Amino acid sequence: MVDRSSPPTGPGRPPLSAASLTLRLTGIAVVVAALAGAFAYVNGTLDPQRLTPKDLVNVLEKNNGVHPGFRRNHAKGVCVIGHFESSSQAREYSSAQVFSEARTPVVGRFALPAGNPYAPDNSVPIRSLALRFTQANGQQWRTGMNSMPVFPVGTPEAFYQLQQAQSPDPATGKPNPAAVPAFFGSHPEAAPFLAWIKTAKPSASYATETYNSVNAFYLVNAAGQRQAVRWSMTPVAQDAAGATAPEGGDFLEKDLVQRLSAGPLRWQLNITLANPGDPVNDASKAWPDGRKVLNAGTLVLESTQPQLNGECRDINYDPLVLPSGIEGSDDPLLAARSAGYARSYLRRTSEVKQLPNAKQESQQ
């Protein structure tokens, strides 16, 4: 799908104008309409009692505060510009042009998975990477990946309940310390995530993380054959063993800029093929080792831009914006992410972005 919501590019763009906002909102409405069936599960059109995108975004705002003009999750980040160099290994599995063309331009965004744009970089052990591949035929592939190997839970309802468990109690202004343990005690599917998080530490660099799709998708070839997959971006650069995040709140963007000043950074796109019987609708379940892995090509990142006025600012990294040759699975979290991202996009682009103050300038 062509992103008709993105304004002219360039780091010197002014804040959102009424005209450009209207154009972008019209563009996102087209995307929402095209994915209406996927959204039906979470937007309440089939059952008024079901969870809605508004519910999801509201609980994120309750937990993180409202920061006008910023994303409701992954609020603190930095834009990156580069391209993707394809290999031959994915071509027999997918007709997507990104796997057949030698080079495809990419606009991406590194971020922290939190809703506070001023959160310290060492406050969470997870990093995220979102990418938009724009094919020569105008179709796009957008993907949002995280450094965790699995999602804590497998359904939107459980994710919403987890957010509620972390919400501040009106009587104290703080979360109930017993709520999160009680939640996980009643959700045994979270065991793989909890086992990982116990040893996870904040990394010192975006450049040395592996980023995982977590959700499953399908590659579809020219003959219509479908193969369930998950993918990951595996870094070529590696820090010395034991490297840990430094003290201070804003080291990740500085580190990224410094590394890129010495040359491009690269990740290998590894696509894991599911075996029959592997779960494709539950992101809380890992696939066993030993699955076939394709080296689909190399992501090359060349420069950064501030998120306040960079090319990534107005991109909704909806994971269900996919080109021909890639399809979403029936994982309910995919539909929930898509609908929640659309709701967040509409809110932040309708807000009047204030001029950055000193704190914003220092943290963006």
Side-chain angles (χ1 to χ4, degrees):
M1 296 182 183
V2 178
D3 181 8
R4 309 190 197 286
S5 64
S6 296
T9 60
R13 288 177 297 162
L16 299 170
S17 67
S20 63
L21 174 60
T22 300
L23 180 62
R24 280 191 290 279
L25 295 186
T26 301
I28 198 64
V30 173
V31 175
V32 172
L35 298 172
F39 291 173
Y41 180 84
V42 290
N43 71 6
T45 57
L46 298 182
D47 183 351
Q49 302 304 314
R50 283 191 171 181
L51 181 64
T52 69
K54 181 179 178 180
D55 294 331
L56 288 171
V57 175
N58 283 350
V59 75
L60 291 173
E61 290 182 349
K62 181 178 180 181
N63 292 355
N64 300 303
V66 178
H67 303 278
F70 288 94
R71 299 166 199 260
R72 271 35 185 186
N73 199 8
H74 303 267
K76 184 180 183 181
V78 57
C79 300
V80 285
I81 307 298
H83 64 273
F84 178 73
E85 299 172 352
S86 66
S87 72
S88 61
Q89 292 192 21
R91 295 176 189 175
E92 67 175 290
Y93 294 93
S94 174
S95 62
Q97 200 174 61
V98 67
F99 299 127
S100 59
E101 293 292 319
R103 178 177 291 203
T104 301
V106 170
V107 177
R109 184 175 182 271
F110 287 107
L112 298 182
N116 182 357
Y118 312 116
D121 289 348
N122 58 5
S123 61
V124 291
I126 302 171
R127 313 307 189 202
S128 71
L129 172 60
L131 300 171
R132 184 189 69 182
F133 303 77
T134 302
Q135 298 181 159
N137 62 6
Q139 295 183 0
Q140 294 183 5
W141 175 22
R142 305 187 195 182
T143 178
M145 298 166 285
N146 290 284
S147 59
M148 59 192 181
V150 292
F151 205 70
V153 291
T155 67
E157 291 82 3
F159 175 74
Y160 179 67
Q161 293 163 10
L162 175 58
Q163 297 305 308
Q164 287 183 308
Q166 300 175 79
S167 294
D169 186 329
T172 64
K174 299 179 180 180
N176 179 349
V180 170
F183 171 86
F184 283 123
S186 62
H187 288 80
E189 74 273 20
F193 175 81
L194 293 176
W196 173 81
I197 202 71
K198 286 179 180 179
T199 59
K201 297 180 180 179
S203 64
S205 177
Y206 284 132
T208 57
E209 285 282 2
T210 294
Y211 300 93
N212 305 300
S213 69
V214 182
N215 302 108
F217 295 79
Y218 286 98
L219 298 186
V220 185
N221 65 16
Q225 297 170 316
R226 302 168 82 231
Q227 169 65 55
V229 299
R230 287 172 175 166
W231 55 73
S232 62
M233 286 289 181
T234 303
V236 174
Q238 294 291 338
D239 281 347
T244 57
E247 296 296 328
D250 301 293
F251 53 84
L252 285 172
E253 183 172 347
K254 296 174 184 176
D255 170 84
L256 186 65
V257 171
Q258 181 178 5
R259 288 175 186 261
L260 285 171
S261 68
L265 296 171
R266 291 174 169 81
W267 283 257
Q268 182 173 300
L269 174 57
N270 292 323
I271 299 181
T272 301
L273 308 185
N275 279 4
D278 287 341
V280 296
N281 62 353
D282 190 341
S284 70
K285 291 182 170 60
W287 293 346
D289 294 335
R291 300 297 180 258
K292 183 175 181 179
V293 178
L294 309 176
N295 171 10
T298 303
L299 172 68
V300 182
L301 297 182
E302 300 160 310
S303 62
T304 67
Q305 296 174 346
Q307 72 165 5
L308 288 178
N309 57 10
E311 292 184 51
C312 75
R313 184 191 69 178
D314 302 315
I315 299 174
N316 170 16
Y317 288 99
D318 182 337
L320 287 179
V321 174
L322 301 167
S324 299
I326 307 176
E327 297 178 355
S329 68
D330 60 353
D331 184 339
L333 286 174
L334 273 176
R337 287 177 62 192
S338 183
Y341 288 10
R343 174 68 63 167
S344 171
Y345 181 91
L346 290 171
R347 287 193 186 182
R348 69 185 177 85
T349 54
S350 66
E351 295 162 348
V352 178
K353 186 184 292 293
Q354 301 174 353
L355 292 176
N357 56 31
K359 184 176 182 181
Q360 287 174 315
E361 289 176 337
S362 68
Q363 300 212 8
Q364 299 303 325

